[in-house]
Amino acid sequence: DVLVYVVGDFSGTVSVGGYTINAGGLAHDGFIAVFKLNGDFYSFQNLSCRVGAGPCSTPASGEVSVSGVGADTLGNVWTSLDFSGTLGCNEDLCVTSTPGAHEIFIQKRPSGSDPKWVCYLETEGDALSMDIVADGLGASYVVGSHEGPLEIPGFGPMNEDGDNKTGFVVKLGSNDDDTACSADWAIGIDCAGVDDSVNRVAVDSS
């Protein structure tokens, strides 16, 4: 089936297709709703407490802001979000931000299913994702800004412009083994002495 993916933020509870989810201990949580092309409901779940291949064993606390969703014809779906606090724990894996800061959390999943892997872009300051897009070849591209060195799996740290925020674009996924996130490359985009951010990304797959 060709599926349509919708993501967003909510507080309290939200209902779609007869299913209701709640934000639990989060001030704001994110959701992903999936529909068929004719508008029929397919699936619905929250994006926190999805730090592994199932729901969390430890409740989440803090807040979540969803920035984007990307899908391709290979059956891959990526979601990007920012969070502060703790997204929760699944067995030995816990996802917790630097105190008082926002971090970036990316999920890759098969169409309409739980995540294959999760990716954590970590910094001592704020890191914000603004958009994510798929290229149709198995990879995704996420853009945003960061303050402080940004730790990128498979690439290493990306430094910022002094005390200012730096824009970035990271390519993920084309070389992963479907169990772990790894970056192909990452580029910082900055203008010296001022805050920068990359807000949107598009891929021409023609």
Side-chain angles (χ1 to χ4, degrees), residues 19-65:
Y19 290 83
T20 299
I21 57 176
N22 66 78
L26 290 167
H28 294 90
D29 198 356
F31 69 83
I32 179 168
V34 187
F35 303 90
K36 296 182 179 180
L37 275 181
N38 63 1
D40 287 349
F41 173 81
Y42 187 87
S43 68
F44 183 48
Q45 64 180 221
N46 62 335
L47 290 176
S48 70
C49 272
R50 297 285 166 177
V51 300
C56 290
S57 57
T58 301
S61 62
E63 63 179 7
V64 166
S65 177

Side-chain angles (χ1 to χ4, degrees), residues 23-186:
L26 290 167
H28 294 90
D29 198 356
F31 69 83
I32 179 168
V34 187
F35 303 90
K36 296 182 179 180
L37 275 181
N38 63 1
D40 287 349
F41 173 81
Y42 187 87
S43 68
F44 183 48
Q45 64 180 221
N46 62 335
L47 290 176
S48 70
C49 272
R50 297 285 166 177
V51 300
C56 290
S57 57
T58 301
S61 62
E63 63 179 7
V64 166
S65 177
V66 181
S67 58
V69 59
D72 62 26
T73 57
L74 303 176
N76 301 307
V77 181
W78 289 267
T79 54
S80 60
L81 59 87
D82 312 320
F83 74 97
S84 63
T86 298
L87 279 179
C89 301
N90 187 306
E91 297 180 349
D92 295 331
L93 175 63
C94 295
V95 177
T96 301
S97 71
T98 300
H102 291 81
E103 314 289 2
I104 297 170
F105 188 66
I106 299 164
Q107 299 167 327
K108 178 183 179 181
R109 67 187 70 218
S111 296
S113 302
D114 283 334
K116 290 181 179 180
W117 55 243
V118 296
C119 191
Y120 181 38
L121 304 188
E122 178 184 10
T123 180
E124 295 178 358
D126 274 335
L128 301 174
S129 59
M130 301 300 294
D131 196 13
I132 192 166
V133 68
D135 65 3
L137 301 173
S140 65
Y141 302 78
V142 59
V143 297
S145 67
H146 67 99
E147 187 176 15
L150 185 66
E151 293 291 338
I152 302 171
F155 182 83
M158 175 186 288
N159 292 325
E160 87 282 19
D161 173 25
D163 294 329
N164 299 105
K165 293 181 179 180
T166 297
F168 70 85
V169 55
V170 177
K171 180 182 179 182
L172 296 168
S174 64
N175 294 321
D176 70 57
D177 60 2
D178 283 341
T179 62
C181 153
S182 182
D184 292 5
W185 49 257

